Amino acid sequence: MVRLSSEILALAVGLLPQLVQGAGLNTAAVAKGKLYFGTATDNPELTDTAYVTQLNNTDDFGQITPGNSQKWDTIEPTQNTFSYTKGDVIANLAKANGQKLRCHNLVWHSQLPSWVTSGTWTNATLLAAMKNHITNVVTHYKGDCYAWDVVNEALNEDGSYRESIWYTTIGPAYLPIAFATAAAADPNVKLYYNDYNIEYSGSKATGALNIVKLIQSYGVKIDGVGLQGHFIVGSTPSQSSQASTMAAYTALGVEVAITELDIRMTLPSTDALLAQQKTDYSGTVAACVATKNCVGVTIWDWTDKYSWVPSTFSGQGAACPWDENYVKKPAYTGILTALGGTATSSTTTSAVSSTSSTSTTTSSGSSATGVAHWGQCGGSGWTGGKTCASGYTCTYFNDYYSQCL
């Protein structure tokens, strides 16, 4: 039996009322016919026990994306020497939880090791290196990934091709060749083109549409377009605009997904900014809900504590649905509402109902078959359900909180 230290247990008990709220975002997304609601994560935060508790909560997260550990500089730091340790940690975590894994990414202009960026290449030698990398990585993770972001961010803002080492050495054919190589290594995995600022109509979205057509013109498989969704509070494209753009992609016979959603604000955070952020998150998720072949939504980490935004955009942050203390923000409720669920507040237990479900979850976290895994089942003043669903036990933490574990 593993015993937690008193310090870790105290921390976990202090956070559990905020971290565990019964039915959540993934439950609601699946009830709406989507495959998942998920989050990105990265290896450094996996040492944070309270963080991992929520990451493992499949009521909220049915899918995980490795933020950095499958990128080229991590996996192939020297030519033809592959290191999968970090990526495997996240892949194994997702597998243990029964969560889908969106694998990210195979070909990108950034986070390349120096042997790639400083090498002396010809068309033939760079193609060989690219195909070798893709074949090794996709083969290693064969059967683990729902999808691969095969090519990431190949476009400039005007829709022209980015002057990456891939484009300048190989030309646009590197895209269909990359997709064909990935398909050969794992014929069953979904293959995506992934980019930002392609969520609304304009030159860059047109460029993304042209990439899909290019790959298809080679007779090569492309299954989806990933819309990253790195937005700014108050400047997020409208729900109708996003839905219209998604429809343009799906009209080409591919699925779409929101792959890296966060909505940042100029700090400090205020009630007005949080309210607008809630609206922006809700509209974006609702666009996916309204699009038949939008399969799911991934947020780019779930807590402000580990967001990439503050270190990248000076003076900006607070981009995630949970704050840095793991408390749900109004954005959480906005997402849940867009997915057809309801919540009494941004930090209280949510409710989701579905005609396809075997039981109906109430705002107290109870159901016809008992309180769900992770739900509250007791404590001073608790008036909700006190019997856990089959397989779980109501576990006492303190006089104010017991939980189904």
Side-chain angles (χ1 to χ4, degrees):
M1 179 178 178
V2 177
R3 295 185 181 275
L4 296 175
S5 71
S6 59
E7 292 84 4
I8 293 175
L9 183 59
L11 175 62
V13 171
L15 288 172
L16 281 171
Q18 298 296 347
L19 293 177
V20 181
Q21 301 294 342
L25 305 179
N26 184 58
T27 304
V30 172
K32 274 291 184 183
K34 303 304 171 184
L35 293 182
Y36 60 81
F37 188 97
T39 182
T41 191
D42 210 351
N43 297 77
E45 49 258 45
L46 298 182
T47 60
D48 182 333
T49 304
Y51 173 91
V52 174
T53 297
Q54 172 61 11
L55 184 66
N56 292 343
N57 180 0
T58 55
D59 283 329
D60 275 324
F61 306 130
Q63 173 269 318
I64 291 178
T65 299
N68 289 291
S69 58
Q70 290 179 323
K71 290 175 179 173
W72 201 307
D73 59 350
T74 298
I75 283 187
E76 194 180 0
T78 58
Q79 189 167 12
N80 211 34
T81 300
F82 293 87
S83 175
Y84 294 107
T85 303
K86 290 183 178 180
D88 286 356
V89 167
I90 295 175
N92 291 337
L93 184 149
K95 188 181 297 184
N97 291 334
Q99 294 162 314
K100 288 180 170 58
L101 187 72
R102 286 199 84 260
C103 292
H104 175 82
N105 57 57
L106 295 171
V107 182
W108 190 28
H109 68 276
S110 186
Q111 290 182 235
L112 292 169
S114 60
W115 71 265
V116 176
T117 57
S118 301
T120 301
W121 302 105
T122 65
N123 180 295
T125 58
L126 187 58
L127 266 178
M130 183 186 80
K131 291 170 72 174
N132 183 62
H133 179 84
I134 294 171
T135 299
N136 274 274
V137 176
V138 175
T139 300
H140 179 83
Y141 288 107
K142 185 176 182 179
D144 291 337
C145 308
Y146 167 76
W148 267 108
D149 291 327
V150 179
V151 177
N152 195 51
E153 301 176 2
L155 296 170
N156 295 315
E157 291 305 298
D158 64 0
S160 62
Y161 286 109
R162 186 189 294 271
E163 296 287 315
S164 68
I165 190 170
W166 313 111
Y167 180 76
T168 57
T169 308
I170 302 169
Y174 86 85
L175 288 116
I177 293 170
F179 275 80
T181 305
D186 186 352
N188 297 316
V189 71
K190 299 281 188 178
L191 304 180
Y192 270 66
Y193 174 70
N194 191 56
D195 213 331
Y196 61 92
N197 289 352
I198 61 167
E199 304 87 358
Y200 44 88
S201 62
S203 298
K204 196 169 187 181
T206 299
L209 289 165
N210 288 336
I211 283 176
V212 176
K213 294 173 185 177
L214 172 71
I215 294 166
Q216 291 173 335
S217 76
Y218 275 71
V220 172
K221 163 181 146 100
I222 176 172
D223 298 291
V225 175
L227 292 73
Q228 291 184 11
H230 294 299
F231 294 138
I232 300 172
V233 167
S235 299
T236 300
S238 68
Q239 176 183 334
S240 61
S241 173
Q242 292 184 66
S244 176
T245 304
M246 289 179 187
Y249 296 123
T250 60
L252 296 179
V254 298
E255 65 187 38
V256 295
I258 300 171
T259 56
E260 304 183 18
L261 180 62
D262 52 25
I263 307 180
R264 63 187 185 270
M265 63 182 68
T266 299
L267 300 174
S269 172
T270 65
D271 288 345
L273 286 170
L274 290 171
Q276 183 62 52
Q277 185 183 56
K278 174 184 177 181
T279 298
D280 294 342
Y281 263 107
S282 180
T284 297
V285 173
C288 179
V289 170
T291 302
K292 180 181 178 181
N293 288 325
C294 182
V295 299
V297 177
T298 306
I299 50 178
W300 206 239
D301 225 321
W302 56 272
T303 167
D304 293 336
K305 183 175 181 179
Y306 296 113
S307 172
W308 71 298
V309 170
S311 63
T312 307
F313 300 96
S314 179
Q316 298 188 328
C320 300
W322 282 258
D323 71 14
E324 61 188 14
N325 295 314
Y326 304 156
V327 177
K328 294 176 182 177
K329 293 153 64 175
Y332 181 97
T333 307
I335 296 169
L336 188 63
T337 301
L339 292 169
T342 58
T344 55
S345 76
S346 62
T347 58
T348 58
T349 305
S350 57
V352 177
S353 62
S354 170
T355 55
S356 63
S357 299
T358 57
S359 63
T360 301
T361 305
T362 70
S363 60
S364 64
S366 63
S367 72
T369 56
V371 178
H373 190 202
W374 307 114
Q376 185 173 355
C377 55
S380 178
W382 175 249
T383 59
K386 297 182 180 180
T387 301
C388 297
S390 177
Y392 304 110
T393 301
C394 190
T395 303
Y396 173 88
F397 282 100
N398 56 42
D399 290 342
Y400 302 97
Y401 197 78
S402 295
Q403 180 191 18
C404 289
L405 298 174

